Amino acid sequence: MVTYAINKEKLEKAAYILKTVAHPTRLAIIDLLNINEKMGVTEICEILNCEQSLISHHLINMKLRGILKSEKDGLNVYYSLKEKDVTKLIECIENCDCNM
Amino acid sequence: MVTYAINKEKLEKAAYILKTVAHPTRLAIIDLLNINEKMGVTEICEILNCEQSLISHHLINMKLRGILKSEKDGLNVYYSLKEKDVTKLIECIENCDCNM
DNA sequence: TTTATACATGAAAATATCATCATATAAGCA
DNA sequence: TGCTTATATGATGATATTTTCATGTATAAA
């Protein structure tokens, strides 16, 4: 007989987090915020060479899903990682130099 | 000036892997194969209480994307993890009991 | 008090993913 | 040979995600 490790709820939560993160642009944003602590929207757009509206959508989405937080200062909105833990994922992936 | 850590190619690769894995059923399969080494399709279907055709699609997809491998023995096809590294991801997520 | 800047929003179009069904193939067995 | 079991396949429809575009709002500055 087989043991079944993770329960359904946990699997769904994990899949949800992974899905949120499983996108090149969003990974790039997380990566940037891992190095830079706080960044404004326009700054991110410029570095990633991506449209403002699209970046905004991604940022808001990740904020909504609990991965980022934001703080307003005048005209600017600064985004940062909410849980540093997310970067563990990135590290995993970076180290994971397997033939995938 | 800002440093940009991971290159585009690596980000796309990482997102690709994450996307492949970011699904409750596929996470469950990986989890099962982490415990059980090798498993037949029907067996997986029964444990996950899921239709054969759907599980087959998932399995083949994950194999295609380099996460699983398979080996045929008579009527059965046994699937197993190709790179044990994938489970590091899962462990990350499991440990990552943050408020996400 | 107009104008410019930084960001958000929402709808629509483009695209990708998932689940289902019906059927195919391949191996083993009566 | 014909039947059964285990798995694969492929088309289709249902859904979800991503991108784009056009526009809205808030703040600052002239």
Side-chain angles (χ1 to χ4, degrees):
Chain A
M1 181 43 192
V2 191
T3 337
Y4 190 21
I6 316 184
N7 63 44
K8 207 182 169 189
E9 203 197 342
K10 201 156 192 176
L11 282 172
E12 264 158 20
K13 206 167 141 194
Y16 186 75
I17 297 168
L18 286 173
K19 220 188 262 178
T20 303
V21 159
H23 188 286
T25 306
R26 289 197 297 263
L27 280 179
I29 291 172
I30 290 170
D31 193 35
L32 278 176
L33 292 177
N34 192 28
I35 308 169
N36 291 99
E37 188 74 27
K38 281 179 189 194
M39 291 183 80
V41 179
T42 307
E43 197 182 1
I44 297 174
C45 290
E46 279 162 3
I47 294 173
L48 300 185
N49 192 31
C50 207
E51 224 204 330
Q52 179 268 320
S53 149
L54 183 51
I55 293 292
S56 249
H57 278 305
H58 282 311
L59 288 170
I60 287 162
N61 199 276
M62 286 197 282
K63 185 185 171 185
L64 228 66
R65 294 179 185 214
I67 288 174
L68 303 183
K69 62 186 177 193
S70 70
E71 134 200 17
K72 195 163 185 178
D73 178 17
L75 269 180
N76 304 290
V77 175
Y78 293 101
Y79 280 88
S80 55
L81 294 178
K82 189 173 175 193
E83 307 282 345
K84 274 282 181 188
D85 283 332
V86 193
T87 57
K88 279 191 205 157
L89 261 182
I90 312 290
E91 280 161 33
C92 264
I93 296 159
E94 283 186 88
N95 298 334
C96 198
D97 243 333
C98 41
N99 327 341
M100 299 199 296
Chain B
M1 181 43 193
V2 191
T3 340
Y4 189 21
I6 314 181
N7 64 44
K8 205 181 169 190
E9 202 197 343
K10 201 158 192 177
L11 281 172
E12 262 158 22
K13 207 167 143 194
Y16 186 75
I17 297 167
L18 286 173
K19 221 188 264 178
T20 304
V21 158
H23 188 287
T25 305
R26 289 198 296 261
L27 279 180
I29 290 171
I30 290 170
D31 193 35
L32 277 175
L33 292 176
N34 193 29
I35 307 168
N36 292 97
E37 188 74 28
K38 281 179 189 192
M39 291 182 79
V41 179
T42 307
E43 197 181 359
I44 297 174
C45 290
E46 278 162 4
I47 294 173
L48 299 186
N49 192 31
C50 208
E51 224 203 330
Q52 179 269 319
S53 150
L54 183 51
I55 293 292
S56 247
H57 278 303
H58 282 310
L59 288 169
I60 287 162
N61 200 277
M62 286 197 282
K63 184 184 172 187
L64 228 66
R65 295 176 184 217
I67 288 174
L68 303 182
K69 62 187 176 190
S70 71
E71 133 202 15
K72 196 162 187 181
D73 177 18
L75 268 182
N76 304 291
V77 175
Y78 293 100
Y79 281 86
S80 54
L81 293 179
K82 189 173 175 193
E83 307 281 344
K84 274 281 179 189
D85 284 330
V86 194
T87 57
K88 279 191 206 159
L89 259 184
I90 312 290
E91 279 162 33
C92 263
I93 296 157
E94 281 187 89
N95 297 335
C96 198
D97 242 332
C98 41
N99 328 340
M100 301 199 297

